[in-house]
Amino acid sequence: MSAADLQDQLAIFMLMQRWSLARDTGDWESLRATAHPGAAMTTTWFDGAFDDFVESCRASWSRGSRSQHVLGGSVAEIEGQRAIAQTRMSINVRSRLDGVEVDAVCLGRFCDRVEKRDGAWRIVKRSVIYEKDRIDPVDPQVRLSFDPELLGRFPEGYRHLAYLQTRNGARVNPGLPTASGEALERLLRDAKTWLAAGKR
């Protein structure tokens, strides 16, 4: 790996770290700066423009919503001024479910299309791959009960997180990428096509 390649890998890795810290600490201008103009974002509860995502996060924050995004390893496949970065992560949410304080944890990875423009790597599209999740009462003596019909609407990978979010008023997409399946294959195939176009 050349020194230039290493610098690009490091810059993309730091971009992922900045996104997470800004998102979790309410630093909205720093969060906005991790994406290029016109960028897009897709999660369980949001699908649209990155700027709108930031404003939605700001609004949730003002209502007391908090979550943490803990990152693991990150690897970028770079072609010219484009790259696909995949980053291991866990989403940790403390909330209330039917009046009970709970912790929801979802493990997976971010799949980011990033571009280098004017010397700066930033996100142009972020997708999330949801691999497994769980939900637990903060008080271990409390027993949770679930509506099996609602729980069954969502795929293994993020069904408990989706259940919590739906109960709290969010509209959750039931067709997002998980550890395997058509949605994952389509996401990775489309990302590869986009990356290859950067060679031209």
Side-chain angles (χ1 to χ4, degrees):
M1 181 180 295
S2 70
D5 289 339
L6 185 59
Q7 287 180 337
D8 284 336
Q9 289 282 349
L10 180 58
I12 293 169
F13 174 79
M14 294 305 297
L15 174 66
M16 302 299 108
Q17 299 294 321
R18 286 196 300 274
W19 186 98
S20 180
L21 186 61
R23 168 70 176 83
D24 293 349
T25 59
D27 188 348
W28 309 122
E29 293 314 307
S30 293
L31 179 60
R32 199 183 307 277
T34 63
H36 285 301
M41 178 83 188
T42 300
T43 70
T44 52
W45 60 274
F46 182 89
D47 185 12
F50 192 87
D51 281 343
D52 293 338
F53 169 76
V54 174
E55 292 308 312
S56 294
C57 291
R58 188 200 296 267
S60 295
W61 181 279
S62 70
R63 296 192 296 269
S65 175
R66 298 292 185 273
S67 61
Q68 291 81 43
H69 299 75
V70 181
L71 304 188
S74 185
V75 176
E77 183 180 353
I78 301 172
E79 290 287 355
Q81 305 301 298
R82 291 185 173 187
I84 298 297
Q86 294 197 57
T87 306
R88 298 296 307 174
M89 62 83 193
S90 70
I91 304 168
N92 303 270
V93 179
R94 176 159 291 185
S95 186
R96 300 191 75 83
L97 176 61
D98 299 331
V100 177
E101 192 173 34
V102 297
D103 282 330
V105 178
C106 186
L107 304 179
R109 62 191 193 267
F110 290 131
C111 181
D112 290 294
R113 301 182 190 187
V114 295
E115 284 188 359
K116 191 176 188 180
R117 301 179 190 171
D118 299 323
W121 287 101
R122 293 183 180 177
I123 297 166
V124 296
K125 182 174 177 58
R126 165 160 283 186
S127 302
V128 186
I129 301 166
Y130 299 92
E131 297 179 348
K132 66 177 182 178
D133 74 330
R134 61 181 294 156
I135 188 167
D136 301 289
V138 173
D139 181 351
Q141 298 184 76
V142 173
R143 183 178 180 85
L144 297 176
S145 61
F146 297 90
D147 176 346
E149 181 180 352
L150 177 58
L151 193 64
R153 291 183 195 172
F154 303 104
E156 184 177 354
Y158 63 99
R159 63 173 37 138
H160 298 92
L161 177 62
Y163 186 96
L164 174 64
Q165 292 172 328
T166 301
R167 281 291 207 195
N168 287 329
R171 297 181 63 181
V172 178
N173 184 343
L176 297 172
T178 57
S180 62
E182 182 180 344
L184 175 63
E185 293 170 4
R186 182 170 57 252
L187 171 65
L188 298 178
R189 182 174 61 250
D190 290 349
K192 289 280 191 181
T193 300
W194 174 85
L195 183 62
K199 298 179 183 179
R200 299 168 189 166

